[in-house]
Amino acid sequence: MSLKDLPKHYNPKLVEDKWYDFWMRGGYFHADVKSSKEAYSVVIPPPNVTDILHLGHALNNTLQDILVRWKRMQGYEVEWLPGVDHAGIATQVILEKKLAEEGKSRQKIGRERFVQLAWEWKEKNGEAILNQLKKIGCSCDWERTRFTLDEGLSEAVLEVFVHLYNKGLIYRGKRIINWCPRCQTSLSDDETEREEKEGHLWYIKYKLKGSDDFISVATTRPETMLGDTAVAVNPKDRRFKKLVGRSAILPILDRELKIVADDFVDPEFGTGMVKVTPAHDPNDFEIGNRHNLEKINILNPDGTLNENAGKFAGMDRYVAREALVAELKKKKLLEKVEPYHLALNLCYRCGSEIEPYLSEQWFVKMEPLAKPAIEAVKNGKVKFYPEHWAKVYLHWMENIRDWCISRQLWWGHRIPVWYCLDCGEITVSKTTPTECHKCKSKNLKQDEDVLDTWFSSWLWPFSTFGWPKKTEELKKFYPTQALFTASEIIFLWVARMVMAGLEFLGEVPFFDVYIHGTVRDSDGIKMSKSLGNGIDPLEIIKDYGADALRTSMILVTPEGQDPCISFNTFELGRNFANKLWNASKFVMANLKDDYSPSAGIKTGSSDLKLEDIWILSRLNRTVEEVTNLMGNYGFNSAVKTLYDFVWHDFCDWYVEMVKSRFSLPEKDKDRASAQEVTHLVLNHILKLLHPFAPFVTEEIWHHLYKIKASEFDHALIQSGWPEVKKELINLGLENTMERVQEVVYSIRNIRSEMNVPPSKKANVMVKVDNKELSNILEDNRSHIINLGKVENLKIGMRIKKPEHAASAVIKDAEIFIPLEGLIDLEQERLRLEKELSKVTAFLDKTNKKLSNEDFLKRAPKNIIEKEKAKKEDYQRMVGKLAKNLEEVTGW
């Protein structure tokens, strides 16, 4: 395609698939394990096999891609390893819903068939999200794609389980766990979500044994009283000292309950006397252990009540609650009911309310593993960006609890434990045993449960490179350099990976942890499928292009903060791509077909004009700043710096300044130096922007250097990252140019605010306070006239403001533009008065709203903040309009 055939606007649909295919064919994403280059490795947080791409994925993986493309350009042997997670609960929930739609269940079809269906699901859908990541432009090493249930990772899981069991860090115990009645599986503490809601506190009367007196206990879950085995009071609570050692009678079931004294009891809760249900509350479980209480389970795995619940057996837990409360009322044993604010735990997958449930499960002792992982963060071996997340990590690690790793699912890594059905002996093995090692019986049965999904994920940074085998990949690419993730899985994943890396390889799995924000909508609400406020990244790519998606997201995501994104957000990136495209077309149009840049540009060359030296200084300062920011994961700040340099310094200023020089004769030195400098600056811009906007930059690069699509050696993706030439940085000149820009900006602002037609040139007077500024402006007179659309320019220290003139004040100067003859003063007066009246009305309306106490009480905080921001905007507008009206009328 010749330059004249290039589209007026950048069209990503003509470009993106072409260049991704080019990069794949060129093998740029694949890291060579035998390379002599220094390795730089990153492992992708494996998305669930059930997932579809959402903006959270898009943000996370764009950030990673920016990093690895940058490091590739810096000359590292870059390995970005991709893969997917089998997502035990998530996948099983989806498959069970599909079976239910067909009138089937996993129990009906059996384990073997269900697992087969899960694998079929994985094969059909597993590649979907990875293909979607390719659409974003992710430069992963797809040849090394891994899956948490593949053969190699399964071997690693077995190795770790057996190692920890033999070390005494994995054990089986009967404890209170989080139980999801819908998924019918245990969950770790970190797999539950917290929800605040309004509930009730029921006060129930228990009769004292051998007396007609009653005591009153309060509970938020009355149905669990059917599992009560004691009543407890605080030993320091004098009100109940005489009752300790006596017994109460459980209503309805008439079970005798001991009254015990325990320090855990809060005298301020309810009446100060609490029911103790050791099988259905973690704190009651501990009280039960201290007082040797019976543990009575009243629930079936599906959330219905079992035979221990008497007449309520078979009822759903919530139905049983209503029936029980009704009977207590009937028997006059319900003293009162009060409103009560509850903090509920919900299943992170299906949203069902979690039940504390006494169950025999497998656990990992975490404290011994946590100690070295705590030290790794304290001594700076592992760093968090932003650093305040290190405190969150340490708080959790220093208060760590044992990890429940067994799940009552069928999809996942089966627990490598066999039980002898004859002698009860347990065998833990990486391979299937043929007989019991104790009694030699062949009557063995494997544990039915699978391991928590995170049990394979915590090994991800090294199992993916072949561990427990000592592979070349493991030697070259472990430890990895950086991990990108969201704050909600610091405990679920980040902390556990640090523990695993130190335990099994003696080295941290990564050195830097970058925590990015959570994507929110324009109202500040977290995007979610259930709320229907999500944005499909593939739709954005279709409408705006992948580069627009990438640059827009990074531009609006300050480091460590949550971005608020709407569909309009992506116009930011699309407009930027078009700006770059058009500027590049202009530069290339002014280079001859056989143009070849010289070996270099010298700062002292007499061929360079003031604007050339200035843009080269700004360019090198930009290279320096962006490189430093990228090194500290300041991606938002880096892309903003680039945006400002490209849009303002290069396009708005330098290109406009040198346009006239391109019209000079071919051999003119001013034309040649303009070509030389614009070519060099565009070269560096494309390199600097490539990690952020890889498609449009690669397209322009190939046109700039007339590279054929079959030439793989000259691609932008593997070109070197620009180096700073400090000798080209001239801060004094940059300050000088800032003064000139201030004057031009002021002229442009006046023209815009006073509604001056673009075709009309204005007379401008600049009153300066000192000779130095006067000399600077005189030296750049041609630029001010050209860029400010000026007819006549006067610069002096004794200039007076003319009548009917608009003015602006900058440091050491005042700028005047006479309006008479430039605009219709009477028409402009009417327009300004009308606009002022309209904006004043808006301001009055906003003030009334913010003075309304009812509005301030009822409106959400973000709505109130929006109204306050509106008020500030209207106040600024009123001020500007009043000033402009004064200048038009001469009042």
Side-chain angles (χ1 to χ4, degrees):
M1 185 185 288
S2 67
L3 189 62
K4 65 182 180 182
D5 294 327
L6 287 177
K8 183 179 180 182
H9 299 292
Y10 172 62
N11 187 348
K13 291 176 182 175
L14 300 176
V15 167
E16 292 177 355
D17 289 344
K18 174 182 75 174
W19 289 120
Y20 202 88
D21 179 64
F22 171 84
W23 295 326
M24 290 287 282
R25 286 186 291 111
Y28 300 110
F29 303 163
H30 182 64
D32 183 2
V33 77
K34 298 186 185 300
S35 170
S36 59
K37 294 179 185 176
E38 184 181 347
Y40 192 94
S41 55
V42 175
V43 291
I44 199 171
N48 289 346
V49 72
T50 57
D51 271 335
I52 58 167
L53 196 67
H54 56 65
L55 276 185
H57 289 124
L59 175 61
N60 177 277
N61 288 283
T62 294
L63 288 164
Q64 291 178 80
D65 194 49
I66 290 167
L67 178 73
V68 299
R69 283 181 182 271
W70 174 52
K71 288 296 177 182
R72 200 177 282 123
M73 293 175 77
Q74 284 190 316
Y76 290 90
E77 192 64 32
V78 174
E79 170 60 28
W80 184 17
L81 187 143
V84 289
D85 195 295
H86 65 280
I89 292 179
T91 303
Q92 186 147 324
V93 166
I94 288 173
L95 290 175
E96 288 193 40
K97 283 180 180 177
K98 288 186 176 293
L99 287 172
E101 289 169 6
E102 299 168 8
K104 300 175 184 175
S105 68
R106 67 179 168 114
Q107 289 80 9
K108 285 180 182 177
I109 66 171
R111 183 172 195 144
E112 188 176 343
R113 176 60 183 148
F114 184 84
V115 171
Q116 183 185 346
L117 287 174
W119 275 104
E120 289 172 6
W121 167 268
K122 183 264 173 186
E123 294 305 319
K124 182 180 176 183
N125 299 285
E127 290 297 311
I129 194 166
L130 298 183
N131 289 330
Q132 291 168 343
L133 292 174
K134 292 175 184 178
K135 283 288 183 186
I136 294 177
C138 293
S139 56
C140 299
D141 186 352
W142 301 110
E143 294 175 44
R144 290 193 171 100
T145 302
R146 301 304 299 267
F147 177 51
T148 51
L149 271 177
D150 70 25
E151 188 177 339
L153 271 69
S154 296
E155 183 184 350
V157 166
L158 294 171
E159 178 76 22
V160 165
F161 190 97
V162 173
H163 168 90
L164 293 176
Y165 180 82
N166 290 336
K167 198 174 178 179
L169 294 180
I170 283 183
Y171 66 94
R172 193 177 188 220
K174 201 164 190 177
R175 294 177 54 179
I176 293 284
I177 49 93
N178 300 302
W179 183 264
C180 175
R182 159 63 186 80
C183 300
Q184 292 194 38
T185 184
S186 60
L187 299 169
S188 69
D189 290 339
D190 308 305
E191 291 174 310
T192 64
E193 293 180 346
R194 207 133 163 106
E195 183 182 88
E196 305 279 325
K197 67 176 283 189
E198 295 306 317
H200 296 94
L201 196 58
W202 285 269
Y203 289 78
I204 304 169
K205 293 161 71 175
Y206 289 33
K207 190 176 182 181
L208 283 171
K209 184 182 177 184
S211 168
D212 291 331
D213 295 332
F214 288 84
I215 58 173
S216 178
V217 299
T219 179
T220 59
R221 297 155 66 216
E223 70 281 4
T224 61
M225 66 175 281
L226 301 171
D228 285 1
T229 55
V231 172
V233 300
N234 191 293
K236 295 176 184 175
D237 195 333
R238 294 179 180 178
R239 294 174 295 171
F240 308 120
K241 271 196 171 183
K242 292 181 180 178
L243 295 178
V244 175
R246 293 184 63 180
S247 295
I249 304 300
L250 179 66
I252 300 172
L253 293 185
D254 294 331
R255 183 186 304 132
E256 188 174 327
L257 309 175
K258 229 175 20 169
I259 299 175
V260 299
D262 195 278
D263 288 322
F264 177 79
V265 178
D266 178 5
E268 300 299 317
F269 177 78
T271 63
M273 302 190 82
V274 297
K275 56 192 276 312
V276 182
T277 319
H280 294 285
D281 183 277
N283 298 313
D284 290 6
F285 177 80
E286 298 300 333
I287 293 174
N289 285 342
R290 287 194 287 272
H291 298 276
N292 198 27
L293 301 175
E294 185 182 2
K295 299 174 179 68
I296 300 173
N297 177 21
I298 63 161
L299 285 177
N300 293 313
D302 64 356
T304 59
L305 273 61
N306 63 23
E307 67 279 3
N308 291 327
K311 65 170 76 174
F312 304 100
M315 291 184 185
D316 175 80
R317 51 184 168 160
Y318 301 120
V319 174
R321 176 179 296 178
E322 290 180 9
L324 179 64
V325 168
E327 182 145 349
L328 289 170
K329 282 182 183 177
K330 185 179 176 183
K331 293 178 177 289
K332 297 185 178 179
L333 294 174
L334 187 63
E335 187 175 56
K336 62 179 175 177
V337 183
E338 291 179 345
Y340 192 75
H341 190 72
L342 298 173
L344 299 177
N345 284 330
L346 307 179
C347 174
Y348 80 118
R349 275 299 163 195
C350 72
S352 298
E353 191 175 331
I354 292 297
E355 284 291 342
Y357 191 68
L358 184 62
S359 176
E360 196 157 46
Q361 302 287 340
W362 287 94
F363 296 87
V364 177
K365 289 181 183 175
M366 298 302 282
E367 193 176 343
L369 298 172
K371 285 179 180 177
I374 289 169
E375 187 56 32
V377 170
K378 282 186 173 180
N379 66 23
K381 191 75 179 284
V382 174
K383 290 186 173 68
F384 279 83
Y385 297 82
E387 62 183 358
H388 70 262
W389 288 112
K391 293 178 182 177
V392 177
Y393 168 98
L394 290 171
H395 177 76
W396 183 77
M397 291 288 273
E398 287 164 353
N399 296 276
I400 200 164
R401 294 166 67 174
D402 287 355
W403 176 16
C404 177
I405 56 170
S406 46
R407 297 290 179 272
Q408 290 62 53
L409 305 171
W410 288 352
W411 176 237
H413 295 276
R414 188 97 174 252
I415 290 177
V417 171
W418 286 260
Y419 305 99
C420 177
L421 300 180
D422 291 330
C423 74
E425 185 67 12
I426 290 177
T427 300
V428 176
S429 173
K430 288 185 282 184
T431 57
T432 303
T434 56
E435 62 181 23
C436 173
H437 64 271
K438 184 177 181 182
C439 72
K440 306 304 178 185
S441 168
K442 298 187 184 300
N443 193 13
L444 302 178
K445 183 181 180 182
Q446 188 174 0
D447 197 301
E448 293 285 335
D449 293 348
V450 299
L451 289 162
D452 178 10
T453 296
W454 298 101
F455 197 88
S456 51
S457 301
W458 76 323
L459 314 178
W460 186 252
F462 51 88
S463 62
T464 48
F465 292 123
W467 186 90
K469 295 185 178 72
K470 294 180 179 178
T471 63
E472 288 183 319
E473 284 82 3
L474 189 65
K475 185 178 178 182
K476 180 79 173 177
F477 300 123
Y478 187 88
T480 65
Q481 268 64 39
L483 178 79
F484 288 69
T485 190
S487 61
E488 57 261 30
I489 56 173
I490 289 176
F491 317 134
L492 283 168
W493 195 43
V494 178
R496 289 172 181 165
M497 283 190 287
V498 177
M499 289 186 268
L502 289 166
E503 173 68 16
F504 300 109
L505 283 95
E507 180 58 278
V508 295
F510 34 72
F511 300 109
D512 297 333
V513 181
Y514 180 86
I515 304 294
H516 59 74
T518 299
V519 179
R520 300 181 180 277
D521 67 15
S522 56
D523 291 322
I525 299 168
K526 182 179 175 180
M527 286 189 181
S528 75
K529 192 187 296 183
S530 60
L531 290 175
N533 64 343
I535 295 175
D536 181 355
L538 296 185
E539 284 298 311
I540 299 302
I541 291 171
K542 180 182 172 185
D543 294 342
Y544 296 89
D547 289 328
L549 172 77
R550 293 165 64 110
T551 53
S552 299
M553 284 194 303
I554 307 305
L555 278 166
V556 300
T557 307
E559 285 82 30
Q561 295 181 36
D562 294 346
C564 293
I565 294 177
S566 68
F567 282 100
N568 292 340
T569 300
F570 302 99
E571 292 177 10
L572 188 66
R574 181 179 62 187
N575 293 343
F576 186 47
N578 278 328
K579 186 81 170 179
L580 174 66
W581 180 257
N582 291 328
S584 301
K585 280 180 65 181
F586 174 80
V587 171
M588 291 186 286
N590 284 284
L591 301 174
K592 288 177 65 178
D593 287 343
D594 59 351
Y595 176 79
S596 178
S598 62
I601 294 173
K602 295 178 181 177
T603 182
S605 172
S606 59
D607 293 343
L608 296 183
K609 294 179 77 68
L610 193 70
E611 59 264 28
D612 300 329
I613 300 169
W614 168 75
I615 196 65
L616 291 172
S617 178
R618 289 293 304 121
L619 172 67
N620 280 277
R621 276 230 290 148
T622 300
V623 171
E624 183 176 48
E625 188 176 341
V626 168
T627 304
N628 290 337
L629 287 166
M630 297 275 275
N632 287 292
Y633 303 95
F635 303 110
N636 169 261
S637 301
V639 78
K640 279 185 173 178
T641 299
L642 285 173
Y643 182 96
D644 288 341
F645 175 76
V646 173
W647 194 292
H648 301 300
D649 292 342
F650 184 62
C651 296
D652 286 356
W653 289 98
Y654 182 70
V655 170
E656 293 298 322
M657 285 175 168
V658 299
K659 271 183 179 178
S660 59
R661 289 163 63 185
F662 287 128
S663 303
L664 296 170
E666 276 189 26
K667 293 184 179 180
D668 190 288
K669 66 178 184 179
D670 282 351
R671 173 175 175 157
S673 60
Q675 289 176 322
E676 193 85 16
V677 173
T678 51
H679 187 280
L680 174 75
V681 175
L682 181 57
N683 166 291
H684 280 40
I685 284 172
L686 295 176
K687 289 182 176 186
L688 291 166
L689 275 176
H690 180 72
F692 298 92
F695 294 106
V696 65
T697 51
E698 191 75 75
E699 175 76 1
I700 295 168
W701 181 267
H702 275 67
H703 284 293
L704 181 64
Y705 288 101
K706 302 169 183 66
I707 304 167
K708 295 177 182 176
S710 57
E711 296 179 43
F712 293 106
D713 293 339
H714 306 293
L716 176 59
I717 190 174
Q718 67 170 16
S719 65
W721 184 255
E723 292 184 6
V724 181
K725 292 188 176 179
K726 288 188 179 289
E727 69 274 14
L728 292 179
I729 295 176
N730 186 331
L731 297 180
L733 179 57
E734 287 189 37
N735 290 333
T736 295
M737 191 59 73
E738 279 179 20
R739 304 312 313 272
V740 176
Q741 288 173 326
E742 276 184 287
V743 172
V744 175
Y745 278 134
S746 297
I747 295 169
R748 287 174 174 175
N749 286 341
I750 291 171
R751 292 182 63 98
S752 173
E753 288 176 9
M754 303 312 294
N755 222 19
V756 177
S759 59
K760 282 196 173 183
K761 290 188 175 182
N763 294 323
V764 175
M765 292 173 274
V766 183
K767 180 187 177 185
V768 295
D769 292 349
N770 55 68
K771 193 69 177 171
E772 182 186 359
L773 180 56
S774 179
N775 291 337
I776 288 172
L777 299 183
E778 287 290 354
D779 289 343
N780 290 277
R781 171 179 284 272
S782 62
H783 293 318
I784 296 170
I785 290 172
N786 179 39
L787 297 172
K789 294 185 179 178
V790 176
E791 183 72 40
N792 295 301
L793 175 64
K794 288 185 180 179
I795 301 166
M797 297 176 69
R798 296 182 179 178
I799 290 173
K800 292 184 179 180
K801 181 181 178 181
E803 193 178 0
H804 297 300
S807 63
V809 178
I810 61 173
K811 185 184 176 186
D812 299 331
E814 283 183 89
I815 296 149
F816 308 124
I817 298 181
L819 298 174
E820 204 159 3
L822 195 61
I823 60 172
D824 185 324
L825 291 175
E826 179 59 21
Q827 192 176 357
E828 183 63 11
R829 180 185 67 78
L830 292 171
R831 186 189 74 80
L832 287 169
E833 285 176 347
K834 185 178 178 182
E835 188 69 16
L836 181 59
S837 175
K838 185 173 77 172
V839 176
T840 302
F842 287 149
L843 178 59
D844 290 343
K845 186 178 176 182
T846 305
N847 278 330
K848 283 179 184 176
K849 193 178 279 189
L850 289 171
S851 301
N852 187 327
E853 290 296 329
D854 192 48
F855 169 75
L856 295 174
K857 284 178 183 176
R858 292 173 179 272
K861 187 178 178 182
N862 64 304
I863 298 295
I864 295 170
E865 291 304 317
K866 275 191 172 183
E867 290 299 319
K868 287 181 178 177
K870 272 188 199 176
K871 177 182 175 179
E872 289 178 9
D873 288 340
Y874 291 146
Q875 285 174 331
R876 273 194 294 270
M877 289 169 70
V878 165
K880 277 188 176 182
L881 289 165
K883 179 178 178 292
N884 292 343
L885 186 59
E886 180 185 345
E887 288 170 340
V888 167
T889 60
W891 293 345

